[in-house]
Amino acid sequence: MYGYEWTEENGIFRLTINAKIQKEIRPVFHEELDFFGMDQYWDYPKDTTAPLLWAEGVRRYVLNGVCVAEAQGGGFYTKPTIKRLTEERLKLVPIDTDRLYEVNRQIMLSLEQKAVQFIQTQYEHYLPLGFSFVCAFSGGKDSLVLLDLMTKALAPKDYYVVFSNTGMELSDTLKTFVDAQKHWPGVRFKEAKCHMDMEESWNEFGPPASKLRWCCSVRKSVPTLMLLSELTGKDTKAVVFDGVRAEESLRRSKYTEVGEGVKNIQQVNCHAILKWSSAEIFVYALKKNVLLNNAYRHGIYRVGCKVCPMSAKWQDSLISFNYPDEVKSQLRMLEDMTLFAKGKIDKKYIEDGGWQARAGGKILKQGENRVSEEITATSIVFRIKNARQNWNSVLPIWGIPVDDDGKRITVKTKHGNFEMNYREENGQQIVSISPFFQLDRFDISTLRSIANKTAYCVGCKACTPQCPTGAYQIIDGKIVIRANRCVHCYNCCTYTDKGCMVAKSLFVRGENMENPDKYRNFGFRQSFYSHFVDTGVDCFDLPDQDKVLGKDQYKALKQWVAESGILKIETKGSKKVVLPELTVLGNKLINIGVYNPFGWAVMWANLAYNSIVVNAFCLNIGVGETFNKDDIVGILKYDNATACDHAANSLLSTFRDSPIGSSLMQGIQLDKDYYRAGWEYPHAVALLYALYLYAEHTGRKSFTFSELVNAHSNPDAKGISPADIYGIDVKKFREDVQGLVISFPKHIRVSFVANLDNIILEDYSSDDIIDLAEE
Ligand code: SF4
Ligand code: SF4
């Protein structure tokens, strides 16, 4: 990927390794300028297809290296405006795209050659392994360039070009697909389409969101894989060449050029133009007469779905104003969602991208928890209401029913035979499995997935390609497991949270959440806490001349320290009142001071229980995830957007301004985003402390490892796993727990009963555990 520098020639830049500019760039055509009425201020020809100037970073219009105008604002309902940065009446002339190529010929030839060689190398490597080859086609610039390269690398019979028509494409994209077939005659073009229509899938799943992108699987990759399976007439083992580029996102920048089984176990993804920049793509596309989707002429810089949870306001507004009839039905569904959630259509919420941060079904009329789970000492009981499938049809994923009288079923699984009772009552399917202690955490997790599939599966077929043997089928909307083919690998259960994408999208966590706005936008800053530690509880009643914080800052600090377990809280009716009195824990923490991460870890564990925003964060933002303010707002189930906004600001400030962000690695700032790396080397006593907190909150000193780490999936769970509190991978956490048993044999034991780990804590309180840190 080269940067570029401007030359003296009109609109011509030079790609060079030493260039300072490495921004995303796009050509600007007269249609975009007309849209903004720029012909009032500038002179430019309207009878040319050539670009007239460039836009850097999407909104900055650049003429020969000088920014001459900037677009501002915009959204689904608001047209952006252009701010001119020069009063001069500019005279724009078409950019000579042949000359642009000539100036960059050597670099472009080398890029082209490398990409062509890469495609050929992958073809030669995977062909003898029985793979088929596909060029993914979206109708965007990257896929057009990729296709052009494919035609140079391989013979037309060697691959298919598969256009994944999501049903949410712009009319100009559909036209590009038709044009491409004429442009590259002989190439085998195919179109993959989801069997559900767009509105049906939006109704079943709810609108997609940035963390609920069911649409990418259901409407794009699955139909593509199924089509491929039909085309090749064998198991779908495919090499998919796609136009993914590193420049497009932080996540994509971490991709390698070849990814085996990343998207699907049967699929190898090859990113032939991964390292190309947008500048290089356009130099190639404009010169080589690769068809350019008309949408680019309107200023749309990424061609994709019309209404997409990943798109920016600029994109939303240009699509909405240039293709108003095409976005109508999806906008109406978003409006209906706000009508249900807020009692009125909230266009601002839609325009500001609030819908993109949805994290579950709370704001959907179809959102509900259909599975409840009860764990007793001897059994686990699932109650499934409004089920879309029958439990017994899905059960063969776990094991083969060897004895079934309709009520009592014996199932032969990988781990032995299990008994369960099945009955239907008041429209619910009720399944009780006992003895419970024979089940290990994998069994329980598989059973939960089966319960979710039974409750929610609408037959979207996303699970089908996950199955390596073809055992998982959807026939007429119903799950059919071919028991003789199922090898109980559980891929169909583990590839998505909860075992079903509909379940993930409709599940409602934390109903009736309290107002999370407790800190007036202020985070739990180390400097605030330091002031508290220096002055103690008197801190909140200092005479004016001794105060070092503002009134609202003191209020926020008081709330943070109270929720961290340092100050006593008294409940008076429905109100919680913070008392100016240290708890036992508070006295101990003050002695630990403000610089020791252990103290912050203990406070964070208490905040996970007592602070609404920290609790939502721990339970919803996974290890290794990047997140931003909108994501935090999206996981708060409170109906006042401003309150959620304030709470999110406070949490992000906590990450920036205290050791919780970078030392405990809960929120490492990356420009506008944050990264939850998780605590890499957790303090053993902090882990033990969090386990004792779990015991105190659940009222039990003995619990299974499985119950602990799955608490976040159980809406009725009262405790939080230390793995969720500190962001620790479950496998690593298991090792950590075993380490605790060795280090603190008087405080924790693990007993193994029939493959099940029981964690047993002794007769201490969480406050006692703090003293172990000093020993
Ligand atoms: S169980 Fe699988 S196929 Fe069925 S709706 Fe859920 S994700 Fe789709
Ligand atoms: S993915 Fe594995 S467990 Fe699921 S149906 Fe296929 S073989 Fe069975």
Side-chain angles (χ1 to χ4, degrees), residues 205 218 389 452-453 456-464 472 474 479 492 495-496 499-503:
F205 287 82
V218 175
Q389 307 284 333
N452 283 329
K453 283 177 188 293
Y456 294 95
C457 175
V458 296
C460 82
K461 301 193 180 176
C463 295
T464 317
Y472 197 106
I474 299 287
I479 297 176
C492 55
Y495 83 100
T496 183
C500 169
M501 285 197 277
V502 184

PDB file of all heavy atoms in Angstrom, residues 205 218 389 452-453 456-464 472 474 479 492 495-496 499-503, ligand 1:
ATOM      1  N   PHE A 205     -35.663 -11.351  12.590  1.00  0.00           N
ATOM      2  CA  PHE A 205     -34.448 -11.097  13.384  1.00  0.00           C
ATOM      3  C   PHE A 205     -34.466  -9.734  14.077  1.00  0.00           C
ATOM      4  O   PHE A 205     -33.685  -9.503  14.982  1.00  0.00           O
ATOM      5  CB  PHE A 205     -33.203 -11.098  12.490  1.00  0.00           C
ATOM      6  CG  PHE A 205     -32.768 -12.447  12.006  1.00  0.00           C
ATOM      7  CD1 PHE A 205     -33.358 -13.038  10.916  1.00  0.00           C
ATOM      8  CD2 PHE A 205     -31.742 -13.126  12.649  1.00  0.00           C
ATOM      9  CE1 PHE A 205     -32.938 -14.279  10.456  1.00  0.00           C
ATOM     10  CE2 PHE A 205     -31.308 -14.360  12.197  1.00  0.00           C
ATOM     11  CZ  PHE A 205     -31.909 -14.946  11.100  1.00  0.00           C
ATOM     12  N   VAL A 218     -26.833 -14.584   6.821  1.00  0.00           N
ATOM     13  CA  VAL A 218     -28.111 -15.103   6.302  1.00  0.00           C
ATOM     14  C   VAL A 218     -28.374 -14.651   4.878  1.00  0.00           C
ATOM     15  O   VAL A 218     -28.847 -15.425   4.041  1.00  0.00           O
ATOM     16  CB  VAL A 218     -29.266 -14.652   7.237  1.00  0.00           C
ATOM     17  CG1 VAL A 218     -30.617 -15.057   6.686  1.00  0.00           C
ATOM     18  CG2 VAL A 218     -29.058 -15.237   8.616  1.00  0.00           C
ATOM     19  N   GLN A 389     -39.629 -24.768  16.766  1.00  0.00           N
ATOM     20  CA  GLN A 389     -39.228 -26.128  16.395  1.00  0.00           C
ATOM     21  C   GLN A 389     -39.625 -27.081  17.511  1.00  0.00           C
ATOM     22  O   GLN A 389     -40.045 -26.650  18.587  1.00  0.00           O
ATOM     23  CB  GLN A 389     -37.702 -26.205  16.190  1.00  0.00           C
ATOM     24  CG  GLN A 389     -37.126 -25.182  15.236  1.00  0.00           C
ATOM     25  CD  GLN A 389     -37.383 -25.507  13.776  1.00  0.00           C
ATOM     26  OE1 GLN A 389     -37.540 -26.669  13.404  1.00  0.00           O
ATOM     27  NE2 GLN A 389     -37.440 -24.486  12.930  1.00  0.00           N
ATOM     28  N   ASN A 452     -32.333 -23.128  22.569  1.00  0.00           N
ATOM     29  CA  ASN A 452     -32.492 -21.883  21.805  1.00  0.00           C
ATOM     30  C   ASN A 452     -32.903 -22.148  20.364  1.00  0.00           C
ATOM     31  O   ASN A 452     -33.738 -21.442  19.798  1.00  0.00           O
ATOM     32  CB  ASN A 452     -31.191 -21.072  21.825  1.00  0.00           C
ATOM     33  CG  ASN A 452     -31.000 -20.351  23.141  1.00  0.00           C
ATOM     34  OD1 ASN A 452     -31.968 -19.968  23.778  1.00  0.00           O
ATOM     35  ND2 ASN A 452     -29.762 -20.198  23.565  1.00  0.00           N
ATOM     36  N   LYS A 453     -32.320 -23.165  19.759  1.00  0.00           N
ATOM     37  CA  LYS A 453     -32.712 -23.496  18.383  1.00  0.00           C
ATOM     38  C   LYS A 453     -34.190 -23.888  18.366  1.00  0.00           C
ATOM     39  O   LYS A 453     -34.935 -23.488  17.479  1.00  0.00           O
ATOM     40  CB  LYS A 453     -31.863 -24.655  17.852  1.00  0.00           C
ATOM     41  CG  LYS A 453     -30.449 -24.252  17.434  1.00  0.00           C
ATOM     42  CD  LYS A 453     -29.680 -25.489  16.997  1.00  0.00           C
ATOM     43  CE  LYS A 453     -28.216 -25.208  16.754  1.00  0.00           C
ATOM     44  NZ  LYS A 453     -27.952 -24.337  15.614  1.00  0.00           N
ATOM     45  N   TYR A 456     -36.219 -20.562  18.824  1.00  0.00           N
ATOM     46  CA  TYR A 456     -36.127 -19.413  17.915  1.00  0.00           C
ATOM     47  C   TYR A 456     -35.920 -19.740  16.440  1.00  0.00           C
ATOM     48  O   TYR A 456     -36.075 -18.853  15.594  1.00  0.00           O
ATOM     49  CB  TYR A 456     -34.956 -18.514  18.328  1.00  0.00           C
ATOM     50  CG  TYR A 456     -35.107 -17.834  19.657  1.00  0.00           C
ATOM     51  CD1 TYR A 456     -34.571 -18.378  20.821  1.00  0.00           C
ATOM     52  CD2 TYR A 456     -35.784 -16.621  19.767  1.00  0.00           C
ATOM     53  CE1 TYR A 456     -34.696 -17.747  22.047  1.00  0.00           C
ATOM     54  CE2 TYR A 456     -35.909 -15.978  20.987  1.00  0.00           C
ATOM     55  CZ  TYR A 456     -35.367 -16.546  22.133  1.00  0.00           C
ATOM     56  OH  TYR A 456     -35.499 -15.903  23.336  1.00  0.00           O
ATOM     57  N   CYS A 457     -35.508 -20.954  16.094  1.00  0.00           N
ATOM     58  CA  CYS A 457     -35.062 -21.194  14.715  1.00  0.00           C
ATOM     59  C   CYS A 457     -36.166 -20.919  13.693  1.00  0.00           C
ATOM     60  O   CYS A 457     -37.228 -21.537  13.732  1.00  0.00           O
ATOM     61  CB  CYS A 457     -34.559 -22.628  14.547  1.00  0.00           C
ATOM     62  SG  CYS A 457     -34.131 -22.983  12.828  1.00  0.00           S
ATOM     63  N   VAL A 458     -35.895 -19.998  12.786  1.00  0.00           N
ATOM     64  CA  VAL A 458     -36.862 -19.679  11.729  1.00  0.00           C
ATOM     65  C   VAL A 458     -36.429 -20.304  10.403  1.00  0.00           C
ATOM     66  O   VAL A 458     -36.948 -19.959   9.348  1.00  0.00           O
ATOM     67  CB  VAL A 458     -37.013 -18.154  11.565  1.00  0.00           C
ATOM     68  CG1 VAL A 458     -37.588 -17.535  12.822  1.00  0.00           C
ATOM     69  CG2 VAL A 458     -35.686 -17.500  11.196  1.00  0.00           C
ATOM     70  N   GLY A 459     -35.432 -21.177  10.489  1.00  0.00           N
ATOM     71  CA  GLY A 459     -34.987 -21.868   9.273  1.00  0.00           C
ATOM     72  C   GLY A 459     -34.204 -20.973   8.335  1.00  0.00           C
ATOM     73  O   GLY A 459     -34.301 -21.093   7.113  1.00  0.00           O
ATOM     74  N   CYS A 460     -33.357 -20.099   8.917  1.00  0.00           N
ATOM     75  CA  CYS A 460     -32.612 -19.161   8.059  1.00  0.00           C
ATOM     76  C   CYS A 460     -31.488 -19.858   7.310  1.00  0.00           C
ATOM     77  O   CYS A 460     -30.931 -19.306   6.380  1.00  0.00           O
ATOM     78  CB  CYS A 460     -32.061 -18.010   8.889  1.00  0.00           C
ATOM     79  SG  CYS A 460     -30.520 -18.369   9.744  1.00  0.00           S
ATOM     80  N   LYS A 461     -31.122 -21.039   7.723  1.00  0.00           N
ATOM     81  CA  LYS A 461     -30.103 -21.881   7.093  1.00  0.00           C
ATOM     82  C   LYS A 461     -28.655 -21.480   7.405  1.00  0.00           C
ATOM     83  O   LYS A 461     -27.721 -22.029   6.842  1.00  0.00           O
ATOM     84  CB  LYS A 461     -30.280 -21.951   5.573  1.00  0.00           C
ATOM     85  CG  LYS A 461     -31.636 -22.490   5.157  1.00  0.00           C
ATOM     86  CD  LYS A 461     -31.683 -22.835   3.693  1.00  0.00           C
ATOM     87  CE  LYS A 461     -33.066 -23.378   3.330  1.00  0.00           C
ATOM     88  NZ  LYS A 461     -33.264 -23.655   1.947  1.00  0.00           N
ATOM     89  N   ALA A 462     -28.466 -20.514   8.300  1.00  0.00           N
ATOM     90  CA  ALA A 462     -27.088 -20.105   8.602  1.00  0.00           C
ATOM     91  C   ALA A 462     -26.287 -21.242   9.229  1.00  0.00           C
ATOM     92  O   ALA A 462     -25.061 -21.281   9.115  1.00  0.00           O
ATOM     93  CB  ALA A 462     -27.092 -18.900   9.542  1.00  0.00           C
ATOM     94  N   CYS A 463     -26.962 -22.162   9.897  1.00  0.00           N
ATOM     95  CA  CYS A 463     -26.233 -23.267  10.534  1.00  0.00           C
ATOM     96  C   CYS A 463     -25.790 -24.320   9.514  1.00  0.00           C
ATOM     97  O   CYS A 463     -24.847 -25.065   9.779  1.00  0.00           O
ATOM     98  CB  CYS A 463     -27.118 -23.972  11.560  1.00  0.00           C
ATOM     99  SG  CYS A 463     -27.557 -22.938  12.950  1.00  0.00           S
ATOM    100  N   THR A 464     -26.493 -24.396   8.420  1.00  0.00           N
ATOM    101  CA  THR A 464     -26.261 -25.507   7.484  1.00  0.00           C
ATOM    102  C   THR A 464     -24.808 -25.609   7.013  1.00  0.00           C
ATOM    103  O   THR A 464     -24.210 -26.685   7.101  1.00  0.00           O
ATOM    104  CB  THR A 464     -27.218 -25.394   6.282  1.00  0.00           C
ATOM    105  OG1 THR A 464     -28.504 -25.060   6.788  1.00  0.00           O
ATOM    106  CG2 THR A 464     -27.302 -26.665   5.503  1.00  0.00           C
ATOM    107  N   TYR A 472     -26.963 -31.433   9.202  1.00  0.00           N
ATOM    108  CA  TYR A 472     -27.878 -30.347   9.608  1.00  0.00           C
ATOM    109  C   TYR A 472     -28.601 -29.811   8.389  1.00  0.00           C
ATOM    110  O   TYR A 472     -27.987 -29.284   7.469  1.00  0.00           O
ATOM    111  CB  TYR A 472     -27.063 -29.220  10.249  1.00  0.00           C
ATOM    112  CG  TYR A 472     -27.894 -28.246  11.054  1.00  0.00           C
ATOM    113  CD1 TYR A 472     -27.867 -28.270  12.434  1.00  0.00           C
ATOM    114  CD2 TYR A 472     -28.711 -27.313  10.435  1.00  0.00           C
ATOM    115  CE1 TYR A 472     -28.633 -27.371  13.178  1.00  0.00           C
ATOM    116  CE2 TYR A 472     -29.479 -26.428  11.165  1.00  0.00           C
ATOM    117  CZ  TYR A 472     -29.427 -26.460  12.543  1.00  0.00           C
ATOM    118  OH  TYR A 472     -30.185 -25.577  13.282  1.00  0.00           O
ATOM    119  N   ILE A 474     -32.270 -27.817   6.825  1.00  0.00           N
ATOM    120  CA  ILE A 474     -33.531 -27.108   7.056  1.00  0.00           C
ATOM    121  C   ILE A 474     -34.448 -27.509   5.909  1.00  0.00           C
ATOM    122  O   ILE A 474     -34.128 -27.295   4.727  1.00  0.00           O
ATOM    123  CB  ILE A 474     -33.326 -25.576   7.040  1.00  0.00           C
ATOM    124  CG1 ILE A 474     -32.359 -25.119   8.139  1.00  0.00           C
ATOM    125  CG2 ILE A 474     -34.659 -24.852   7.139  1.00  0.00           C
ATOM    126  CD1 ILE A 474     -32.893 -25.152   9.547  1.00  0.00           C
ATOM    127  N   ILE A 479     -35.936 -27.786  11.333  1.00  0.00           N
ATOM    128  CA  ILE A 479     -34.617 -28.408  11.481  1.00  0.00           C
ATOM    129  C   ILE A 479     -34.768 -29.919  11.351  1.00  0.00           C
ATOM    130  O   ILE A 479     -35.618 -30.529  12.005  1.00  0.00           O
ATOM    131  CB  ILE A 479     -34.016 -28.098  12.869  1.00  0.00           C
ATOM    132  CG1 ILE A 479     -33.786 -26.584  13.020  1.00  0.00           C
ATOM    133  CG2 ILE A 479     -32.707 -28.854  13.084  1.00  0.00           C
ATOM    134  CD1 ILE A 479     -33.275 -26.180  14.398  1.00  0.00           C
ATOM    135  N   CYS A 492     -22.540 -26.521  14.806  1.00  0.00           N
ATOM    136  CA  CYS A 492     -23.803 -25.806  14.582  1.00  0.00           C
ATOM    137  C   CYS A 492     -24.272 -25.110  15.859  1.00  0.00           C
ATOM    138  O   CYS A 492     -25.170 -24.268  15.803  1.00  0.00           O
ATOM    139  CB  CYS A 492     -24.881 -26.764  14.071  1.00  0.00           C
ATOM    140  SG  CYS A 492     -25.126 -28.173  15.162  1.00  0.00           S
ATOM    141  N   TYR A 495     -20.885 -21.877  16.685  1.00  0.00           N
ATOM    142  CA  TYR A 495     -20.369 -20.835  15.786  1.00  0.00           C
ATOM    143  C   TYR A 495     -20.986 -19.477  16.073  1.00  0.00           C
ATOM    144  O   TYR A 495     -20.459 -18.457  15.696  1.00  0.00           O
ATOM    145  CB  TYR A 495     -20.588 -21.220  14.316  1.00  0.00           C
ATOM    146  CG  TYR A 495     -21.961 -20.892  13.813  1.00  0.00           C
ATOM    147  CD1 TYR A 495     -22.188 -19.756  13.045  1.00  0.00           C
ATOM    148  CD2 TYR A 495     -23.042 -21.695  14.128  1.00  0.00           C
ATOM    149  CE1 TYR A 495     -23.452 -19.444  12.615  1.00  0.00           C
ATOM    150  CE2 TYR A 495     -24.303 -21.384  13.701  1.00  0.00           C
ATOM    151  CZ  TYR A 495     -24.510 -20.251  12.945  1.00  0.00           C
ATOM    152  OH  TYR A 495     -25.769 -19.923  12.530  1.00  0.00           O
ATOM    153  N   THR A 496     -22.115 -19.438  16.756  1.00  0.00           N
ATOM    154  CA  THR A 496     -22.684 -18.149  17.128  1.00  0.00           C
ATOM    155  C   THR A 496     -23.160 -18.221  18.583  1.00  0.00           C
ATOM    156  O   THR A 496     -23.515 -19.302  19.063  1.00  0.00           O
ATOM    157  CB  THR A 496     -23.846 -17.747  16.208  1.00  0.00           C
ATOM    158  OG1 THR A 496     -24.308 -16.455  16.597  1.00  0.00           O
ATOM    159  CG2 THR A 496     -25.008 -18.720  16.270  1.00  0.00           C
ATOM    160  N   GLY A 499     -26.187 -20.342  20.038  1.00  0.00           N
ATOM    161  CA  GLY A 499     -26.485 -21.430  19.108  1.00  0.00           C
ATOM    162  C   GLY A 499     -27.453 -21.070  18.009  1.00  0.00           C
ATOM    163  O   GLY A 499     -27.768 -21.913  17.165  1.00  0.00           O
ATOM    164  N   CYS A 500     -27.932 -19.850  17.993  1.00  0.00           N
ATOM    165  CA  CYS A 500     -28.880 -19.445  16.948  1.00  0.00           C
ATOM    166  C   CYS A 500     -28.836 -17.932  16.832  1.00  0.00           C
ATOM    167  O   CYS A 500     -28.916 -17.218  17.839  1.00  0.00           O
ATOM    168  CB  CYS A 500     -30.295 -19.895  17.327  1.00  0.00           C
ATOM    169  SG  CYS A 500     -31.571 -19.182  16.263  1.00  0.00           S
ATOM    170  N   MET A 501     -28.739 -17.444  15.607  1.00  0.00           N
ATOM    171  CA  MET A 501     -28.616 -16.000  15.439  1.00  0.00           C
ATOM    172  C   MET A 501     -29.902 -15.258  15.773  1.00  0.00           C
ATOM    173  O   MET A 501     -29.864 -14.107  16.182  1.00  0.00           O
ATOM    174  CB  MET A 501     -28.164 -15.701  14.015  1.00  0.00           C
ATOM    175  CG  MET A 501     -26.697 -16.019  13.842  1.00  0.00           C
ATOM    176  SD  MET A 501     -26.020 -15.255  12.403  1.00  0.00           S
ATOM    177  CE  MET A 501     -26.530 -16.443  11.248  1.00  0.00           C
ATOM    178  N   VAL A 502     -31.031 -15.923  15.591  1.00  0.00           N
ATOM    179  CA  VAL A 502     -32.294 -15.248  15.955  1.00  0.00           C
ATOM    180  C   VAL A 502     -32.349 -15.085  17.475  1.00  0.00           C
ATOM    181  O   VAL A 502     -32.724 -14.029  17.995  1.00  0.00           O
ATOM    182  CB  VAL A 502     -33.527 -16.060  15.479  1.00  0.00           C
ATOM    183  CG1 VAL A 502     -34.808 -15.298  15.786  1.00  0.00           C
ATOM    184  CG2 VAL A 502     -33.436 -16.354  14.003  1.00  0.00           C
ATOM    185  N   ALA A 503     -31.938 -16.137  18.188  1.00  0.00           N
ATOM    186  CA  ALA A 503     -31.943 -16.071  19.660  1.00  0.00           C
ATOM    187  C   ALA A 503     -31.059 -14.914  20.121  1.00  0.00           C
ATOM    188  O   ALA A 503     -31.436 -14.129  20.998  1.00  0.00           O
ATOM    189  CB  ALA A 503     -31.439 -17.388  20.244  1.00  0.00           C
TER     190      ALA A 503
HETATM  191  S1  SF4 B   1     -30.860 -22.289  14.395  1.00  0.00           S
HETATM  192 FE1  SF4 B   1     -29.450 -21.813  12.742  1.00  0.00          FE
HETATM  193  S2  SF4 B   1     -30.667 -22.068  10.903  1.00  0.00           S
HETATM  194 FE2  SF4 B   1     -32.108 -21.899  12.572  1.00  0.00          FE
HETATM  195  S3  SF4 B   1     -32.606 -19.685  12.630  1.00  0.00           S
HETATM  196 FE3  SF4 B   1     -30.973 -20.069  14.115  1.00  0.00          FE
HETATM  197  S4  SF4 B   1     -29.126 -19.579  12.987  1.00  0.00           S
HETATM  198 FE4  SF4 B   1     -30.749 -19.881  11.459  1.00  0.00          FE
END
